[in-house]
Amino acid sequence: MGRIFLSGLGVVAIASVAACSSTQAGVVLPEKHHSSWRLPLDAYSSPLVNLAEQAENTLIEDCFRQDGRSLSFSRIDESTRPGESWNAAHRKLFNEPLASKYGYGNSFEYDLTIAEITRMRSLDEKIDRSVGAAADGLFDSCLDKSRAAIEGSSVSDPYQLAHSLAGVAYDDAYASVPVRHAADEWKLCMKAVGVPDLPDNPNEMPSPSIDALRPSGVDVVIAPGEETNVPPEERRVAVADAKCQVSSGYAAAAYDAEWDAQAAALSANADELERYKVEADKRVDRAKKILAEHSATR
């Protein structure tokens, strides 16, 4: 589970937090859960289903209708669970069962049926066609109005601080001595697999030679029923990679290092993170109200 990806990293200058290892009194950490790669800053990061974004889209639809145009965004129910390749914090997971099924690819981010995924993709394509050059100005205007209704404060993104801290913690964790030593062991384990351009650590997999096994690249979404399209060689290498990450101690070292780095970041920034979380919760409440009102009129 070394292949971890964070979405929406904000541009905020934050110093390294690796040197701060103690947890501030009163700061409550979640329970560690290695298989889902649960981390201390998850509670302050953007949720899997962003209701504020969906409410924003709803108001944009209204704005387009007022101008005599049609626009429809896809909707994700708040109870929707992540797809099996993901956790609730938008973090991509990697382990032997997933490698055996998807290779270096991954499931859809949400746990949806083929019909639901197809509908979402169809709506997205229609939006791309609807918002052409002629509607760009209208879309920007509608977007500004909808964001003003949702945001309600000067904080442009209440999740930005958590995402930025997580990015710094990630860099600190993977630069740490235990993780680098474990990466050396992983490389020794992988030598027998026969990857000609084997990198120095798992985060650089798939290597170019493995990525080239599929025209679109191997790190792609694989829809339900398409798992059989994974090239056998990619699947073989991915499974070996996942096994070596465990046997070398890399998966455990990476998780523990990232956990410790995020715990230190949470401890050092607890008050500010809580302030941002209060704002995020207010936006979710406003979003739920907007979505409920529109649901009742449709």
Side-chain angles (χ1 to χ4, degrees):
M1 279 167 283
R3 304 180 64 249
I4 310 301
F5 296 80
L6 298 173
S7 60
L9 295 182
V11 183
V12 175
I14 299 174
S16 170
V17 295
C20 306
S21 58
S22 60
T23 304
Q24 178 179 311
V27 174
V28 179
L29 297 178
E31 183 179 350
K32 293 179 78 171
H33 196 267
H34 189 167
S35 63
S36 67
W37 214 272
R38 182 187 295 151
L39 294 171
L41 291 173
D42 288 356
Y44 302 92
S45 302
S46 55
L48 178 70
V49 178
N50 193 328
L51 294 181
E53 184 177 283
Q54 294 201 59
E56 183 181 284
N57 291 343
T58 297
L59 294 178
I60 292 173
E61 291 173 350
D62 287 349
C63 183
F64 262 66
R65 273 193 293 272
Q66 291 168 10
D67 196 69
R69 298 172 185 261
S70 177
L71 190 67
S72 295
F73 289 89
S74 57
R75 297 280 190 275
I76 301 291
D77 189 85
E78 186 181 8
S79 63
T80 302
R81 295 177 57 80
E84 62 181 333
S85 294
W86 304 88
N87 73 3
H90 306 271
R91 194 172 292 107
K92 183 176 173 179
L93 306 174
F94 185 71
N95 54 42
E96 186 179 345
L98 291 173
S100 179
K101 186 172 184 179
Y102 298 104
Y104 285 105
N106 52 266
S107 69
F108 198 67
E109 187 171 10
Y110 305 104
D111 184 17
L112 301 174
T113 65
I114 296 177
E116 290 170 327
I117 293 173
T118 300
R119 182 175 180 277
M120 281 188 67
R121 288 175 172 170
S122 176
L123 285 173
D124 289 344
E125 290 172 1
K126 287 180 181 178
I127 289 173
D128 290 339
R129 292 194 296 269
S130 298
V131 187
D136 277 350
L138 174 62
F139 185 87
D140 290 343
S141 174
C142 292
L143 177 61
D144 289 341
K145 292 176 184 177
S146 67
R147 284 184 173 171
I150 299 295
E151 289 179 1
S153 81
S154 59
V155 178
S156 60
D157 181 1
Y159 306 112
Q160 182 177 3
L161 176 60
H163 290 161
S164 298
L165 288 170
V168 174
Y170 178 91
D171 290 341
D172 287 347
Y174 288 87
S176 68
V177 172
V179 174
R180 286 190 285 112
H181 283 176
D184 291 340
E185 294 299 316
W186 167 85
K187 189 169 184 177
L188 287 174
C189 177
M190 286 291 290
K191 279 190 174 180
V193 179
V195 178
D197 50 353
L198 184 68
D200 289 332
N201 68 73
N203 280 358
E204 296 174 17
M205 289 291 285
S207 65
S209 67
I210 303 303
D211 192 57
L213 292 173
R214 277 190 261 175
S216 59
V218 299
D219 192 8
V220 295
V221 174
I222 298 174
E226 296 179 356
E227 297 90 349
T228 54
N229 295 336
V230 177
E233 176 63 3
E234 175 195 338
R235 197 189 307 270
R236 181 188 74 82
V237 172
V239 169
D241 182 356
K243 288 181 176 180
C244 282
Q245 287 195 36
V246 173
S247 64
S248 66
Y250 182 87
Y255 178 67
D256 289 341
E258 193 169 5
W259 175 278
D260 290 344
Q262 282 208 12
L266 174 54
S267 177
N269 298 273
D271 292 342
E272 192 72 359
L273 284 164
E274 283 298 329
R275 185 176 73 81
Y276 274 79
K277 189 175 188 304
V278 168
E279 176 57 34
D281 291 343
K282 287 180 179 178
R283 292 189 189 190
V284 170
D285 289 340
R286 286 193 290 271
K288 287 182 177 180
K289 183 178 180 181
I290 290 170
L291 291 169
E293 290 171 349
H294 282 72
S295 177
T297 58
R298 291 184 181 180

